[in-house]
Amino acid sequence: MGLLISTALPLFIRWKYKLNPDEHLAKGAEEGFKLFTSITLLLIAFALVRVQGDHRNVEDLVSREAALMFKLNRSLAAFGGSHTVELQGDLKNYANAVVDDEWPLMAKNERSEEATNVLTDLTQGIRLLDPKNPVQQMARAEIVTTLNQLSDVREARLSAARLQLPSYLSDALAISVALLAIFGWLQNPLPKMVAYVGGVTIGISVLFTLVIALESLFVGESRVTPGAIVHILPSLGP
């Protein structure tokens, strides 16, 4: 599409209607084209840094969530008792619900009701824990703290599903690319316009493709996966 708009369409129009921009106009357009090429590349670099930072942050959230699940399972085992076996099962069901049900829904900016219900059951069950000795009291305190952290991390992960490039950066990119195309149309002679503008367009389009692919954190081949949670699933449960 970039080549069609920036190179093929103006080539056809100028060839068909025998249009030939004035030499001074073409010279000024060439300087403007160089300027907006630099500005566009700079804006794309900012966008790439932003989306890659979002990816790293979300991957860290997922790793932390998996670590909290493992820690909660270990704390429940340390508390002991028949009731904690059921809670460990609820924790494993919650992890499975996050991986199998909630992850596909996050691509649509939605949350899993199944995961929410299982987490609610787990929370209510933990509140019923009745420590009988100092060891169990310490274990219960750690269980409650870890559960609160797990809930907070889940909300942070769900909020991350709505992350996108700031509107001011998207608008600046759109304006810069539009001006780049306009200055490209005025390059002269015509063979120079095809090679010069076409080459720059290919390079910018590749970078744009990378930004678009990385912007959606839970969509496409570059999406953040629940691999960290899947890895600890066999360790959960009694």
Side-chain angles (χ1 to χ4, degrees):
M1 183 174 291
L3 285 173
L4 176 65
I5 294 174
S6 68
T7 309
L9 189 60
L11 172 64
F12 175 76
I13 293 174
R14 285 175 59 175
W15 170 77
K16 183 173 182 179
Y17 295 101
K18 308 299 182 183
L19 298 178
N20 191 24
D22 177 77
E23 179 182 353
H24 298 291
L25 177 61
K27 184 64 176 177
E30 182 177 357
E31 297 301 318
F33 186 80
K34 293 177 181 178
L35 173 63
F36 277 96
T37 298
S38 301
I39 293 175
T40 303
L41 291 174
L42 184 62
L43 290 172
I44 291 176
F46 280 133
L48 279 173
V49 169
R50 173 63 182 262
V51 297
Q52 287 180 325
D54 290 341
H55 261 263
R56 285 194 296 270
N57 291 337
V58 175
E59 287 172 346
D60 290 343
L61 280 176
V62 177
S63 297
R64 186 182 174 199
E65 189 171 15
L68 288 171
M69 289 179 182
F70 184 81
K71 180 180 178 182
L72 181 57
N73 184 76
R74 184 183 59 191
S75 299
L76 287 169
F79 186 91
S82 59
H83 185 49
T84 57
V85 174
E86 181 182 349
L87 293 176
Q88 285 178 296
D90 289 341
L91 176 61
K92 188 165 189 175
N93 291 337
Y94 170 69
N96 281 317
V98 168
V99 172
D100 298 332
D101 190 51
E102 188 157 73
W103 221 266
L105 290 175
M106 285 193 298
K108 306 173 186 177
N109 295 337
E110 299 175 4
R111 65 171 63 214
S112 167
E113 290 299 326
E114 179 184 351
T116 299
N117 293 335
V118 177
L119 184 59
T120 300
D121 292 340
L122 180 62
T123 303
Q124 292 174 346
I126 287 175
R127 287 176 180 172
L128 296 176
L129 289 176
D130 184 20
K132 304 296 184 182
N133 52 61
V135 174
Q136 287 188 334
Q137 288 178 351
M138 293 178 60
R140 186 183 186 279
E142 185 174 358
I143 289 170
V144 172
T145 300
T146 305
L147 179 64
N148 290 335
Q149 292 174 343
L150 182 61
S151 298
D152 292 342
V153 171
R154 183 198 179 209
E155 291 304 317
R157 170 172 50 78
L158 291 171
S159 297
R162 297 186 291 272
L163 287 175
Q164 57 183 0
L165 284 178
S167 58
Y168 66 84
L169 188 54
S170 300
D171 293 343
L173 271 169
I175 294 172
S176 181
V177 169
L179 290 173
L180 189 67
I182 292 173
F183 285 122
W185 295 341
L186 300 175
Q187 300 298 308
N188 205 26
L190 195 56
K192 176 185 175 182
M193 187 274 287
V194 174
Y196 186 23
V197 178
V200 171
T201 299
I202 290 173
I204 289 178
S205 296
V206 169
L207 293 176
F208 251 122
T209 302
L210 186 58
V211 171
I212 294 169
L214 292 176
E215 185 182 12
S216 299
L217 295 174
F218 297 100
V219 180
E221 294 181 0
S222 63
R223 66 185 179 275
V224 177
T225 67
I229 299 176
V230 173
H231 180 71
I232 57 101
L233 270 175
S235 304
L236 300 181

